Amino acid sequence: MSDETSDRDTERLFPTLTQQQVEQLATYGSRRAMRRGETLMEPGDPHPSCFVVVRGSVEILRVANEGETLVHLHQAGQFTGEANLLTGRAALVRIRANEDGEVVVLNRDQVLRVLQLESEIGQIVMRAFILRRVELIARGYGDAVLLGSTHCAGTLRIREFLTRNGHPFVYIDLDTQHDVQALLDSLGVTAEDIPVVMSRGNVLLRNPSNGEVADTLGFNISVDLDAVRDVVVVGAAPAGLAAAVYAASEGLDALVIELAAAGGQAVSSSRIENYLGFPNGITGQELAARAFAQAQKFGADFLIAKHAAHLACERRPYTIEIDGGRRIAARTVIIASGATYRKPDLPHLTEFEGAGIYYGATAMEAQLCGGEEVIVIGGGNSAGQAAVFLAATSRHVHVLVRGESLADSMSRYLVRRLEANPKISVRTHTELVALEGNGHLAHVTWRDTTTGTVERRGIRHVFIMAGALPATGWLDSCAVIDDKGFLKTGGDLTPDDLAARQWPLPRPPHTLETSLPGVFAVGDVRSGSMKRVASAVGEGAAAVALVHRILREQGAQ
Ligand SMILES: Cc1cc2nc3c(=O)[nH]c(=O)nc-3n(C[C@H](O)[C@H](O)[C@H](O)COP(=O)(O)OP(=O)(O)OC[C@H]3O[C@@H](n4cnc5c(N)ncnc54)[C@H](O)[C@@H]3O)c2cc1C
């Protein structure tokens, strides 16, 4: 693969197993002969396999309009495959026998069994799969091409969606690569169709939704929608991912429904410094990617870019309707749908979302506004972290706060960092009152709320970090919520709450259990939760222990 890849990295990417290890793998799969030139797998294959070379060699080929490119030649003792064998997504490459020989073929279930039961081989295989996916992303060796413009919110949305889902793609910026226009003209693509996603050279999606992109690229292809699951988790962020890891590793049949990509709010965090075990911090994206892979290793299923739109709570098993009207049946439910950013009431706000207005500060947004002045709105820890992060690459960061100081809302260590950084100014008693621009934010106006003075500045990037609203609207009125819309659980549910919902059991609700038996709320969506990654993870894990109890109660185990 990459020319810069060192020998050590190459050995980790393409390890050679001992004969004994190959024999061990053969006990999980089946042996088959191969003939030189025979195609073993095509890009887009919905059920990719892992081929372990016993004799001969196999080629990994990237297939594009220009033809085939050799990605790697696997020799005896080496094995094919990458992270799509964990995610259950479609194949990205062609695999062809380079000479006559023999391979061991393992389907996805067999690979997962190896990962779960063979610790030494499993570690080698898992590491290789993840490193290969990272390399594919770095090289853009995927099956998707995104054609868009940096001034277009839809382009940012799809770039974010593919990046956050770890899907390799090639991005073609139409603002700089004018020669692509002839191709678009020949396909009848107009300015309104931008962004455009091309897949495997023959599918063309015009300004698609994330769900359409996911369906076309086969993100959910291996998920059985008809099974009655032991537990359905809604939301694949810290709380939901922890629930998935614990449920799947403890033998429960778990399905996670996620409307965007794994990670939730945590992905907006450029560096989480207070999560146990990471003294130098960890990006939310990395934490989520690790947890996502871990849950899949244990066999949890994920439905990506699917919205849990309704919970039918009148009957057991519960059913959750996903967009499109399809219903998923569940003996128990863990609600980990978290919270979304609070948006200030500002004219033209949505017009500039993704084009100067951002709700997260990650490397991607930092790159968009590198070297320019930026504004961060908010007085909480997320605002402080964003300001420190953005100060490293931007010319100056203005932190706008309505109150008279940061002391009440932000951790002291962050306040000190803001004060010590000459590239950050904190403007108290200040609020944004106007946004202007043509397609992209160009000017902002802020007002000093004590003097009424207004100031118009040529600032093109505003990061809004102003708190969160619970994602509970989809539950209609199934479960009891508090006055802010967060789900009440356990001891917070009053006798009146339970009477109003006709709580049917002689026992009171367990901790984390909502007013619906067997339906739990964990993480930021739960009333009274700590709104931290560690607490969300702890609650997700703890809920699984209670799921076991409920299943026993139902006699389903
Ligand atoms: C910028 C920023 C920085 C932060 N920094 C830190 C930090 O340094 N340390 C710390 O401890 N905490 C930090 N936090 C807080 C932390 O990220 C949250 O407490 C944590 O992410 C909560 O996890 P969660 O799983 O409960 O929910 P969320 O992270 O809110 O995720 C909920 C998930 O559910 C999905 N979802 C919602 N509705 C539906 C639906 N109907 N159907 C399907 N899926 C749905 C969402 O897409 C999302 O993926 C930060 C937060 C932000 C925004």
Side-chain angles (χ1 to χ4, degrees):
M1 279 208 184
S2 152
D3 301 336
E4 306 88 52
T5 315
S6 70
D7 287 351
R8 186 164 165 272
D9 289 346
T10 308
E11 179 48 34
R12 286 151 66 104
L13 268 168
F14 304 112
T16 304
L17 303 173
T18 63
Q19 204 177 341
Q20 199 186 359
Q21 288 171 324
V22 173
E23 292 301 325
Q24 188 60 18
L25 286 179
T27 63
Y28 288 85
S30 54
R31 292 171 178 271
R32 61 160 283 190
M34 60 178 180
R35 306 285 304 177
R36 177 183 159 78
E38 185 186 348
T39 300
L40 303 178
M41 197 178 80
E42 280 289 4
D45 185 330
H47 305 293
S49 298
C50 168
F51 299 94
V52 186
V53 185
V54 181
R55 269 185 310 106
S57 57
V58 298
E59 299 170 309
I60 305 298
L61 300 154
R62 180 195 182 210
V63 186
N65 287 344
E66 320 80 76
E68 291 178 343
T69 320
L70 180 68
V71 179
H72 188 73
L73 184 67
H74 285 290
Q75 306 285 357
Q78 297 190 318
F79 55 89
T80 70
E82 55 96 27
N84 59 359
L85 280 162
L86 301 174
T87 54
R89 294 182 191 168
L92 295 176
V93 292
R94 175 173 292 156
I95 300 181
R96 192 164 58 205
N98 184 50
E99 51 190 306
D100 291 355
E102 189 189 3
V103 284
V104 170
V105 189
L106 298 153
N107 64 27
R108 178 172 176 247
D109 288 344
Q110 291 163 335
V111 169
L112 292 178
R113 275 170 54 78
V114 169
L115 297 181
Q116 289 158 23
L117 301 178
E118 299 288 337
S119 68
E120 192 188 349
I121 308 178
Q123 204 181 355
I124 297 170
V125 171
M126 180 91 171
R127 185 172 55 208
F129 283 0
I130 290 173
L131 289 175
R132 287 175 192 175
R133 175 52 67 113
V134 171
E135 191 72 13
L136 288 172
I137 292 170
R139 299 234 126 198
Y141 276 7
D143 53 356
V145 178
L146 169 66
L147 298 110
S149 154
T150 40
H151 303 296
C152 157
T155 303
L156 181 68
R157 170 178 57 79
I158 296 177
R159 281 181 79 180
E160 246 175 39
F161 178 69
L162 292 172
T163 306
R164 284 186 50 190
N165 275 294
H167 195 87
F169 67 101
V170 174
Y171 173 58
I172 297 179
D173 186 349
L174 298 172
D175 299 330
T176 54
Q177 301 195 26
H178 302 291
D179 49 337
V180 184
Q181 195 56 48
L183 167 71
L184 292 182
D185 291 345
S186 73
L187 295 168
V189 174
T190 63
E192 290 76 53
D193 296 330
I194 302 301
V196 167
V197 175
M198 290 168 71
S199 169
R200 291 176 210 118
N202 53 21
V203 183
L204 186 79
L205 301 174
R206 296 159 197 254
N207 193 10
S209 66
N210 292 348
E212 286 170 312
V213 175
D215 288 343
T216 303
L217 298 179
F219 280 14
N220 301 318
I221 213 152
S222 61
V223 179
D224 177 1
L225 300 177
D226 297 322
V228 181
R229 305 287 179 154
D230 291 331
V231 57
V232 169
V233 181
V234 178
L241 289 168
V245 167
Y246 279 82
S249 68
E250 291 170 18
L252 298 178
D253 178 12
L255 169 72
V256 185
I257 304 172
E258 167 54 53
L259 70 83
Q265 294 173 68
V267 169
S268 331
S269 179
S270 40
R271 189 148 292 274
I272 301 168
E273 295 193 56
N274 57 355
Y275 188 60
L276 187 75
F278 294 91
N280 293 325
I282 181 166
T283 65
Q285 176 74 50
E286 197 184 344
L287 188 66
R290 285 173 183 227
F292 187 45
Q294 197 176 9
Q296 281 166 334
K297 169 183 135 172
F298 288 121
D301 283 333
F302 282 81
L303 270 179
I304 294 295
K306 296 290 171 202
H307 180 238
H310 175 69
L311 173 69
C313 52
E314 313 77 31
R315 217 169 297 127
R316 307 281 280 270
Y318 295 115
T319 54
I320 294 174
E321 189 180 309
I322 52 173
D323 29 30
R326 192 73 200 236
R327 283 167 179 249
I328 312 284
R331 295 189 182 93
T332 65
V333 179
I334 297 182
I335 300 171
S337 49
T340 48
Y341 307 102
R342 203 179 289 275
K343 299 182 181 184
D345 188 13
L346 200 54
H348 306 298
L349 185 74
T350 49
E351 208 177 291
F352 296 117
E353 281 177 352
I357 294 287
Y358 316 100
Y359 298 97
T362 67
M364 183 181 291
E365 287 83 14
Q367 196 189 341
L368 294 175
C369 53
E372 297 186 46
E373 273 182 273
V374 305
I375 290 175
V376 171
I377 298 182
N381 278 359
S382 54
Q385 285 171 356
V388 172
F389 175 66
L390 293 166
T393 47
S394 52
R395 185 145 50 91
H396 197 85
V397 181
H398 303 272
V399 179
L400 269 48
V401 197
R402 279 211 178 116
E404 67 180 303
S405 85
L406 292 173
D408 295 340
S409 49
M410 196 179 283
S411 299
R412 279 186 61 193
Y413 82 95
L414 272 173
V415 175
R416 281 202 293 269
R417 278 193 204 169
L418 261 57
E419 286 167 353
N421 193 325
K423 286 170 79 180
I424 300 177
S425 340
V426 178
R427 297 174 180 274
T428 54
H429 295 298
T430 307
E431 61 182 13
L432 264 198
V433 287
L435 303 170
E436 300 163 63
N438 186 8
H440 194 286
L441 183 65
H443 286 92
V444 302
T445 304
W446 65 55
R447 182 176 61 201
D448 183 320
T449 54
T450 48
T451 61
T453 319
V454 293
E455 195 175 339
R456 183 171 179 265
R457 301 282 290 255
I459 296 179
R460 295 171 8 97
H461 305 283
V462 175
F463 292 81
I464 297 175
M465 304 281 170
L469 295 167
T472 47
W474 63 278
L475 290 164
D476 302 319
S477 49
C478 260
V480 174
I481 49 176
D482 69 12
D483 54 350
K484 295 200 175 97
F486 291 87
L487 281 163
K488 287 176 84 171
T489 54
D492 289 345
L493 288 159
T494 64
D496 286 349
D497 288 334
L498 296 177
R501 296 306 157 125
Q502 295 169 341
W503 174 259
L505 302 176
R507 64 161 176 85
H510 295 301
T511 333
L512 305 177
E513 196 172 22
T514 65
S515 54
L516 284 169
V519 176
F520 298 89
V522 293
D524 281 17
V525 76
R526 194 176 69 77
S527 176
S529 68
M530 294 294 294
K531 315 287 183 273
R532 288 282 180 272
V533 173
S535 52
V537 167
E539 291 183 12
V544 171
L546 300 167
V547 162
H548 284 292
R549 278 204 224 171
I550 302 289
L551 292 177
R552 278 197 295 274
E553 208 171 81
Q554 293 175 356
Q557 268 192 328

